[in-house]
Amino acid sequence: MKLHWSPRSPFVRKVMIVLYEAGIEDRVTLVRTPVAMDKPNLDLIPDNPLIKLPTLVLDDGTAVYDSAVICAYLNELANAGLMPSEPRARLTAERRQALGDGLMDALLLYRQERNKPAERQTPSWLASFALKTSSVLDALEKEAPGLQAARLDLGLIAIGCALSYLDYRFPDLPWRDGRAALAGWHRGFCERPSVARSQPDDAAA
């Protein structure tokens, strides 16, 4: 298999953590594939017409996307146990994955807007992204005891990657203030070997 990959994408990081947790990283070839909102990578179109990362290509040429679908496939392929089988627990894990992925989507757009020259920024958009970010963080603080008690699954991986992306791209946002329980859970998440191995690397080729 091959994975279209970037060292800075939080969605790619989700997939890498699953690969490490499942112990099947040696079965996947990483293909460095730059993408940007303003510079679509046309070489990616044959494998993903959305021109987005991550994209997994199976040995028979089947393309798999997006990150949630890829993670589910790899989890089942390796029988890694990263998605509960009990219906209620599975629903919770899937909801948490949707929340983590949604936060990452909002943060990507938030960063795009913040990186514009000041005269081109839309204040209402910035306010909306800030509100979504704080609302998700407040909800996660309330849910932190449940995160602490849960076994690692795809939902927790998504949430952990979103919080780590905040640290990586928004170092000026003190998201831990007033959210000690969530900060404590994230600290433990970052101590996992799979998370440490997938740390973004701006120097990667």
Side-chain angles (χ1 to χ4, degrees):
M1 297 181 286
K2 72 176 180 180
L3 178 69
H4 289 288
W5 168 91
S6 165
R8 294 178 285 275
S9 165
F11 290 103
V12 169
R13 190 177 191 188
K14 277 180 59 187
V15 175
M16 295 306 301
I17 290 173
V18 170
L19 286 172
Y20 294 143
E21 289 286 339
I24 58 172
E25 67 273 16
D26 59 343
R27 297 175 59 178
V28 177
T29 300
L30 302 181
V31 179
R32 180 71 168 91
T33 308
V35 297
M37 291 184 184
D38 58 344
K39 294 180 181 179
N41 187 335
L42 302 184
D43 293 336
L44 187 54
I45 290 178
D47 289 332
N48 188 341
L50 293 170
I51 319 178
K52 294 178 67 176
L53 299 179
T55 299
L56 180 71
V57 182
L58 308 186
D59 292 337
D60 65 0
T62 300
V64 184
Y65 42 83
D66 59 5
S67 68
V69 180
I70 294 172
C71 288
Y73 172 77
L74 294 174
N75 176 56
E76 293 181 6
L77 178 68
N79 193 26
L82 294 172
M83 182 58 74
S85 58
E86 192 277 320
R88 187 70 179 188
R90 186 182 186 93
L91 179 62
T92 296
E94 289 178 338
R95 175 185 60 79
R96 286 171 173 165
Q97 181 170 209
L99 187 61
D101 285 353
L103 178 56
M104 284 189 279
D105 278 330
L107 291 174
L108 289 169
L109 293 173
Y110 193 5
R111 177 172 179 265
Q112 188 81 3
E113 189 66 18
R114 294 208 324 169
N115 283 350
K116 293 179 181 178
E119 66 274 10
R120 292 181 53 206
Q121 294 177 1
T122 303
S124 61
W125 290 8
L126 291 172
S128 177
F129 294 138
L131 176 61
K132 290 180 180 181
T133 300
S134 63
S135 296
V136 172
L137 291 170
D138 289 344
L140 288 174
E141 173 66 13
K142 293 178 182 178
E143 197 169 341
L147 304 182
Q148 289 280 11
R151 178 182 175 184
L152 185 73
D153 59 29
L154 299 183
L156 300 188
I157 291 172
I159 289 170
C161 286
L163 297 178
S164 293
Y165 189 73
L166 267 174
D167 286 338
Y168 181 51
R169 292 301 197 191
F170 296 80
D172 59 310
L173 296 183
W175 67 264
R176 292 173 175 81
D177 289 358
R179 304 184 183 99
L182 182 60
W185 173 81
H186 182 250
R187 185 166 54 252
F189 172 80
C190 291
E191 290 172 354
R192 296 187 71 90
S194 62
V195 177
R197 289 182 66 184
S198 62
Q199 186 74 17
D201 182 5
D202 285 330

